[in-house]
Amino acid sequence: PIYSVNQRVAVFSAAGALINVCGQRGFTSVGDFNWPRGVAVDPTTGNYWVADTKQSDLQTLKPINSPPSFPGCNPGTEFATLGTALGDVDYPYSIAIANGYAWVADTKNNRLESWNVSTQAAVATYGTKGGGTGQLSTPAGVGIDPVTGNLFVADSLNNRVVELSVSNGKVTGWVKAFTSGFNAPYGAASNGHGLLAVADR
């Protein structure tokens, strides 16, 4: 899990035992965080991808074991910068990884951004500010259906969750929007068997 105000990532065993923590408040090195809010694991390498929200960057950490090779961390890379171009982010809130791509809720840019996990190269963005089809307003959470590969976006200020079809790191279609009584949803996760869980903030 992510501990935003503690400025760190904590790793637990399947039994719930704390293995290690990584991170400190800072602005210059991998493992320096400023309110990290999202984390995802690359199933191929075991690396962690972290949305370092207030620093407006992304970081990767190598698998954290005990003991670590760096106090609390096993350093990876730091990339992405504050901005609006491809490869830039502004207050990224969450990350989901599947099929070789990382999907980032680029929250203050009102869009999604995808990254090739193996090369860490930005691939595409999707969305403009608004409430229509193809538009988002402060997207806060992303989740991936493990069966269909579709992407679910907690489109918080539009009070909806949007389902998108994706392929090769790009959005290929708008599937549907779930709008039943939400008030600023911040997270969405599919179990792959037809059920969608929403963090309805």
Side-chain angles (χ1 to χ4, degrees):
I2 287 286
Y3 292 87
S4 294
V5 180
N6 282 339
Q7 320 294 352
R8 67 187 189 189
V9 177
V11 179
F12 293 84
S13 72
L18 179 64
I19 296 173
N20 220 317
V21 296
C22 168
Q24 60 190 0
R25 182 173 176 81
F27 310 96
T28 59
S29 303
V30 176
D32 285 354
F33 295 122
N34 190 9
W35 283 34
R37 289 186 174 170
V39 64
V41 178
D42 174 10
T44 301
T45 63
N47 289 345
Y48 305 93
W49 282 55
V50 181
D52 189 14
T53 304
K54 288 184 79 173
Q55 200 158 252
S56 290
D57 69 17
L58 304 176
Q59 295 189 31
T60 63
L61 303 172
K62 297 174 185 176
I64 298 171
N65 301 309
S66 183
S69 59
F70 173 78
C73 290
N74 194 351
T77 57
E78 184 175 15
F79 54 102
T81 56
L82 174 64
T84 59
L86 178 65
D88 294 340
V89 293
D90 190 355
Y91 243 66
Y93 263 41
S94 67
I95 302 177
I97 295 177
N99 302 314
Y101 294 93
W103 294 90
V104 177
D106 188 6
T107 304
K108 285 193 175 181
N109 279 330
N110 299 293
R111 68 185 187 185
L112 306 174
E113 188 160 16
S114 60
W115 300 73
N116 183 304
V117 172
S118 63
T119 64
Q120 296 179 356
V123 175
T125 62
Y126 175 83
T128 58
K129 183 173 177 58
T133 300
Q135 296 182 316
L136 302 167
S137 184
T138 313
V142 288
I144 296 173
D145 187 304
V147 174
T148 66
N150 285 356
L151 188 67
F152 290 91
V153 183
D155 188 14
S156 65
L157 293 191
N158 281 325
N159 298 312
R160 66 187 182 185
V161 173
V162 174
E163 181 179 1
L164 303 168
S165 58
V166 299
S167 179
N168 297 319
K170 296 181 180 179
V171 173
T172 57
W174 178 283
V175 179
K176 68 179 77 167
F178 300 83
T179 59
S180 182
F182 296 130
N183 188 353
Y186 259 46
S190 168
N191 72 347
H193 300 286
L195 295 180
L196 177 67
V198 179
D200 189 12
R201 188 177 71 126

